[in-house]
Amino acid sequence: MCGKRSKCYFSRLEVILIICLALMIAVTVVLLVLHFLRENSRKPGSSTTTVVPFSSVCPLKGQSQRPSVPCLRWQQLAGEGSDNTEIFSHGVISASSDLSPFPHRLPGDSSKATANYLLGVGRADCTGPVAEIPLMGYANPEQVGGGLLARLYSRAFIMGDLDDSKRVVFVSADIGMVSQRLRLEVLKNLKSKYGELYRQDNVILSGTHTHSGPSGYFQYTLFWITSKGLIRPSLNAIVNGIVKSIDIAHQNMKRGRLFINRGTVENSQINRSPFSYLENPASERSRYSSNTDKEMVMLKMVDENGQELGLISWFAVHPVSMNNTNHLVNSDNVGYASYLFEQEKNKGMLPGEGSFVAAFASSNLGDVSPNTKGPFCVNTGESCDNPQSTCPMGGATMCMAMGPGNDMLDSTRIIGQNIYSKARELYEEASQEVTGPLSSAHQWVNMSDVSVELNATHTVKTCKPALGYSFAAGTIDGVGAFNFTQGSVEGDPFWDEIRNQLLGEPSSETKACHKPKPILFSTGEMTRPHPWHPDIVDVQIAAIGSLAILAVPGEFTTMSGRRLREAVKREFDSHGTSQMDVVIAGLCNVYTHYIATYEEYQAQRYEAASTIYGPHTLSAYIQLYRGLARAIATNTVQDLPRGPEPPVFNISNLTLVPSLNTDRAPENKTFGDVLQEVRQQYRVTEVAEVTFVGANPRNSAENATEHNFLTVERYTNTSESWQVVQNDASWDTRFYWTKGVLGQSNVTIEWHIPGGTEPGVYRIRYFGHYKKKLTLYAAVSIAFEGTSSAFEIVAL
């Protein structure tokens, strides 16, 4: 305290405290003034609006509300004098099944990031049984599953408007193709979960077209026969995997942005029917630098904070680097590209895990092969690149195309690496943003009876389904049997008589409709035990802003795809929707084999012989997809005729797949015991191999939706524990199952030790289920495991 006559001095600390107090008073005054002004602006007559959040998310129409969870609505409250109150009941939030509130800013907030869509991605296993099941693609009865090279996945992508009034779902699944039965069951499951949110018009299901996945998920007789029946575990695994991938994408939706990019992929494809391609007009061919589409189109997805979500890539190449001698389930070259991209982005995660999802989807791949060395006679080594693809000795069965690698696994890696590398480049450089509204259009069409207006004076029609002689010849990627040849424009009296006696003679009308195709199987006139081919087919387009995805129900050839894309683009342009990027998504919704051009059809190689609705199939599809594009461009989708719904057949349980019998272990052994041990030491790039007492892998597929058959584990000294470094989704592991006698079997696991593997101590583990009979009519699957001895990996 200051004396009466002395001067009063403040310490430095007291000065600082006084200044802070003054600043606090000033800030308080400013805040009070701002608050007063804000409150005043809300008085009657004010035009300012505010947004009031409530506690949780409102479900969309058709979705169930979780009990005891209040419903969030972003409610725009108009001031007095306004004649309406606007309620956004289901647009701002992801509307995910867990009903979590949206974490960021509101639409219309000027301070928000430039998000254009709600985005969600998801991935789920859809592998199914890996043993004793025919593989789908080559229709080779001897090609049945005998193990696992890499798991199959369904990858789902959901795009929604920011107000969530519309959604589009695109799914790329590692399967041969989407069957009609599969699609109908997926849609039924989605309806039971989400009501009318996900429907036949806004859900696209596309197969990558791997020829190394399990079959057995078809209802039409031709595929039912080649699959050895309807195999419920195969169908269930794919349905459950697709639905789960959509569930995951649905639950993780967030605001984000889309970017598109395109570029050329080199050294990864050839046209396997160049003589058919040359039938197309020279003036048309001169517009293109190649007889295949080398362009990759890539769609990149990020959230509003720039976090990477995933990508979809469309590129035309057959996933047949793995040929018809392969017995290991895998996703082929495009699956390997997905694996590389996802492993890069999901660092530190095991294969098949992590939030980033990369789909390499099919396109117009009908006549496009990855076997870039071309066709050679396997018995003599000479070229068989001729119109009939035949060899002087051995005929057509000796003519096979070769990939760029030393074997089919090496070729798979090379082609997959090429595709991945281009996608990675396009992904990193993507800058063209996709904006605009979402829309989708869908129709069911009876493709066996479509009238096509070629011009003002000529109208033609499609035909009842039929397969030509060259269908039985196969292709240079997978030859047929009985020495049928490609390019057959005449039938054979011997085979005609056998067909007539067993299946019936094609009608004169069908023969005339399909000319110049000599009909081997008139499948459209074969109805026992069920129709052999579909009549009712899906046609569908989904538009995401400036990107139009044409979901086609089969394999369009290179030129067919070009004509379809150009026709649809012209249709959009003519109705004021210009600058559309049009991509073809192949193998969607239902399988109808191939779609060749009218000119290619005349040559009757494999692709033309497999164009089942006749020479005007492409013209019919162009007419139909133009109609869908017109409806989207003119906002008249609601006026499109729905079309006749496809049937669902009650397929019997009759199957040629062996029944699951009781598993047995050798005397004095038990399941999981090691029969042949690993070596004590390996170098990087060598193969560690161990053989166990095994059991039928089908037990595991039927016992669990997802099952991991193996792990590679490294011993960590710091934690004194084993850490999993690889599993059966890795392309460096191999799982082989060998069936013995009297219920016995062996499992051999290989680990092809990749470069860069850290030296240390490792082991390999095997997980399975064996079937044990309890009574005459009851059995149970029992889990077991086996473990190799520890082994050391040393540097080169």
Side-chain angles (χ1 to χ4, degrees):
M1 188 172 177
C2 298
K4 192 174 183 180
R5 292 181 180 170
S6 64
K7 292 183 180 179
C8 187
Y9 295 97
F10 294 101
S11 68
R12 180 175 299 177
L13 176 60
E14 289 173 323
V15 171
I16 292 174
L17 291 174
I18 292 170
I19 293 173
C20 289
L21 178 61
L23 288 173
M24 289 174 62
I25 294 172
V27 170
T28 301
V29 170
V30 171
L31 290 175
L32 288 171
V33 170
L34 290 175
H35 177 72
F36 172 78
L37 292 174
R38 187 176 180 183
E39 288 298 315
N40 191 54
S41 68
R42 294 177 178 174
K43 291 180 179 180
S46 171
S47 61
T48 305
T49 61
T50 186
V51 179
V52 182
F54 288 79
S55 57
S56 190
V57 181
C58 292
L60 295 179
K61 184 178 180 181
Q63 289 183 269
S64 59
Q65 170 71 51
R66 193 168 64 182
S68 74
V69 178
C71 177
L72 169 75
R73 295 175 186 268
W74 295 114
Q75 186 174 29
Q76 188 174 13
L77 304 175
E80 193 173 305
S82 177
D83 58 0
N84 70 316
T85 300
E86 192 174 356
I87 304 293
F88 296 91
S89 63
H90 62 265
V92 184
I93 315 302
S94 66
S96 62
S97 59
D98 66 358
L99 305 179
S100 55
F102 200 78
H104 297 298
R105 306 174 182 88
L106 305 178
D109 183 352
S110 61
S111 64
K112 71 178 179 63
T114 55
N116 293 305
Y117 300 101
L118 297 175
L119 304 175
V121 302
R123 178 185 56 250
D125 186 281
C126 65
T127 305
V130 301
E132 299 187 297
I133 307 300
L135 301 186
M136 187 65 212
Y138 293 111
N140 181 350
E142 297 180 1
Q143 191 188 19
V144 297
L148 181 66
L149 170 59
R151 290 209 156 263
L152 309 181
Y153 291 100
S154 170
R155 295 174 171 88
F157 304 83
I158 303 178
M159 285 71 66
D161 284 331
L162 280 180
D163 66 0
D164 214 4
S165 59
K166 293 183 180 178
R167 289 193 180 188
V168 166
V169 181
F170 182 83
V171 174
S172 177
D174 290 328
I175 57 177
M177 61 283 290
V178 176
S179 77
Q180 192 169 80
R181 181 62 173 264
L182 170 62
R183 174 168 166 81
L184 292 175
E185 291 207 12
V186 167
L187 289 172
K188 181 180 178 181
N189 274 261
L190 292 175
K191 185 171 184 178
S192 69
K193 286 188 171 207
Y194 302 105
E196 296 301 317
L197 180 59
Y198 301 123
R199 312 169 302 273
Q200 77 272 1
D201 66 294
N202 67 354
V203 174
I204 296 175
L205 305 182
S206 175
T208 62
H209 204 38
T210 175
H211 284 42
S212 297
S215 63
Y217 53 95
F218 295 81
Q219 68 173 2
Y220 290 97
T221 302
L222 180 74
F223 311 115
W224 183 84
I225 290 175
T226 56
S227 299
K228 298 184 179 180
L230 181 75
I231 304 169
R232 189 36 88 166
S234 287
L235 178 59
N236 288 347
I238 301 171
V239 170
N240 293 339
I242 290 174
V243 172
K244 184 176 180 180
S245 68
I246 294 173
D247 287 341
I248 294 170
H250 175 95
Q251 292 161 9
N252 293 306
M253 290 188 73
K254 55 184 70 175
R255 291 169 50 146
R257 306 169 71 187
L258 297 174
F259 298 89
I260 194 170
N261 203 358
R262 60 192 62 75
T264 301
V265 183
E266 298 290 353
N267 305 316
S268 299
Q269 46 165 220
I270 61 169
N271 192 307
R272 71 184 186 191
S273 284
F275 299 97
S276 294
Y277 182 86
L278 288 172
E279 294 291 320
N280 294 305
S283 58
E284 183 180 29
R285 288 185 280 112
S286 67
R287 296 168 50 205
Y288 305 99
S289 60
S290 172
N291 60 4
T292 61
D293 277 342
K294 296 181 180 295
E295 184 177 71
M296 172 185 286
V297 178
M298 191 278 310
L299 186 67
K300 175 180 180 178
M301 303 179 182
V302 298
D303 73 8
E304 63 180 343
N305 297 317
Q307 178 185 344
E308 298 174 303
L309 302 178
L311 70 91
I312 310 172
S313 164
W314 290 274
F315 177 61
V317 66
H318 251 87
V320 290
S321 292
M322 301 293 292
N323 63 40
N324 61 9
T325 66
N326 166 60
H327 295 276
L328 297 182
V329 169
N330 70 88
S331 49
D332 214 282
N333 44 45
V334 292
Y336 185 59
S338 288
Y339 169 82
L340 291 176
F341 217 119
E342 289 177 350
Q343 283 295 99
E344 177 193 347
K345 295 298 182 181
N346 297 316
K347 291 190 184 300
M349 307 296 288
L350 287 171
E353 299 178 356
S355 61
F356 187 93
V357 180
F360 286 78
S362 58
S363 190
N364 55 317
L365 48 67
D367 53 358
V368 186
S369 170
N371 295 312
T372 53
K373 289 181 180 177
F376 291 86
C377 299
V378 295
N379 51 354
T380 65
E382 59 187 305
S383 173
C384 50
D385 189 13
N386 56 64
Q388 283 72 45
S389 298
T390 58
C391 294
M393 297 175 58
T397 58
M398 291 290 108
C399 184
M400 287 284 291
M402 305 296 176
N406 298 320
D407 56 30
M408 58 182 171
L409 281 162
D410 191 30
S411 293
T412 300
R413 288 182 180 273
I414 291 171
I415 299 299
Q417 177 75 45
N418 290 349
I419 297 170
Y420 152 77
S421 296
K422 175 53 67 172
R424 187 178 185 277
E425 174 190 322
L426 296 176
Y427 183 89
E428 297 301 330
E429 296 175 356
S431 60
Q432 179 185 339
E433 189 159 10
V434 177
T435 60
L438 298 177
S439 54
S440 55
H442 170 277
Q443 283 182 299
W444 281 306
V445 179
N446 183 353
M447 274 301 296
S448 64
D449 188 25
V450 177
S451 294
V452 184
E453 296 181 7
L454 296 181
N455 52 47
T457 59
H458 288 77
T459 299
V460 294
K461 291 190 69 174
T462 55
C463 314
K464 291 182 178 180
L467 291 163
Y469 264 71
S470 295
F471 163 76
T475 73
I476 59 173
D477 292 327
V479 297
F482 303 110
N483 221 19
F484 284 89
T485 58
Q486 296 197 60
S488 298
V489 292
E490 293 183 1
D492 181 276
F494 172 76
W495 291 113
D496 282 351
E497 184 60 28
I498 291 177
R499 176 205 60 207
N500 295 346
Q501 294 299 320
L502 295 178
L503 303 171
E505 182 178 2
S507 67
S508 299
E509 179 186 6
T510 297
K511 288 180 180 178
C513 189
H514 279 272
K515 281 186 177 180
K517 176 196 292 180
I519 294 175
L520 182 62
F521 301 123
S522 183
T523 52
E525 298 174 318
M526 296 158 61
T527 58
R528 294 182 180 177
H530 301 287
W532 282 50
H533 264 148
D535 289 324
I536 309 305
V537 172
D538 295 71
V539 292
Q540 183 181 18
I541 296 179
I544 305 162
S546 57
L547 173 65
I549 303 172
L550 314 186
V552 300
E555 304 177 55
F556 277 61
T557 63
T558 298
M559 195 63 85
S560 291
R562 288 168 175 170
R563 290 183 187 177
L564 178 63
R565 283 197 305 263
E566 290 182 0
V568 168
K569 184 170 175 53
R570 285 196 302 270
E571 193 68 36
F572 276 118
D573 290 345
S574 66
H575 293 282
T577 311
S578 59
Q579 306 302 315
M580 291 292 286
D581 286 294
V582 180
V583 299
I584 290 176
L587 291 305
C588 290
N589 301 336
V590 58
Y591 186 59
T592 64
H593 295 270
Y594 284 73
I595 299 90
T597 68
Y598 177 85
E599 295 83 358
E600 292 165 353
Y601 190 89
Q602 309 309 307
Q604 278 301 299
R605 280 179 61 86
Y606 176 83
E607 295 81 12
S610 305
T611 299
I612 62 174
Y613 299 113
H616 303 293
T617 300
L618 174 60
S619 296
Y621 277 125
I622 288 175
Q623 178 175 286
L624 291 165
Y625 280 91
R626 285 182 61 192
L628 297 180
R630 187 182 313 119
I632 290 174
T634 59
N635 197 26
T636 57
V637 171
Q638 67 278 2
D639 298 329
L640 284 172
R642 182 182 176 90
E645 293 197 21
V648 178
F649 305 124
N650 183 22
I651 305 296
S652 72
N653 292 323
L654 177 65
T655 177
L656 297 178
V657 174
S659 59
L660 270 172
N661 296 318
T662 303
D663 293 286
R664 290 184 174 87
E667 190 175 353
N668 299 322
K669 296 286 185 181
T670 188
F671 296 100
D673 283 356
V674 175
L675 295 174
Q676 180 179 326
E677 267 290 9
V678 293
R679 302 201 316 257
Q680 291 184 345
Q681 190 179 87
Y682 295 91
R683 293 185 181 277
V684 172
T685 73
E686 290 186 325
V687 180
E689 179 179 327
V690 57
T691 300
F692 298 93
V693 175
N696 195 321
R698 286 169 57 198
N699 294 319
S700 300
E702 297 194 5
N703 191 66
T705 304
E706 299 175 28
H707 175 76
N708 186 42
F709 287 108
L710 67 92
T711 56
V712 177
E713 301 175 0
R714 182 178 186 274
Y715 187 74
T716 306
N717 290 318
T718 54
S719 62
E720 297 184 342
S721 62
W722 293 92
Q723 177 187 3
V724 177
V725 295
Q726 294 285 354
N727 56 23
D728 65 5
S730 167
W731 282 77
D732 298 318
T733 59
R734 315 273 192 275
F735 176 83
Y736 295 94
W737 178 70
T738 305
K739 187 175 183 178
V741 296
L742 301 176
Q744 296 184 16
S745 61
N746 294 343
V747 161
T748 297
I749 295 174
E750 294 178 356
W751 180 31
H752 293 243
I753 305 167
T757 299
E758 187 177 354
V761 176
Y762 291 80
R763 69 181 184 183
I764 296 173
R765 301 182 72 194
Y766 161 45
F767 306 91
H769 294 82
Y770 68 89
K771 186 175 183 180
K772 181 179 180 179
K773 207 163 191 179
L774 300 178
T775 66
L776 185 61
Y777 301 105
V780 63
S781 290
I782 301 175
F784 69 90
E785 61 185 64
T787 306
S788 76
S789 297
F791 56 92
E792 184 183 14
I793 292 181
V794 297
L796 286 171

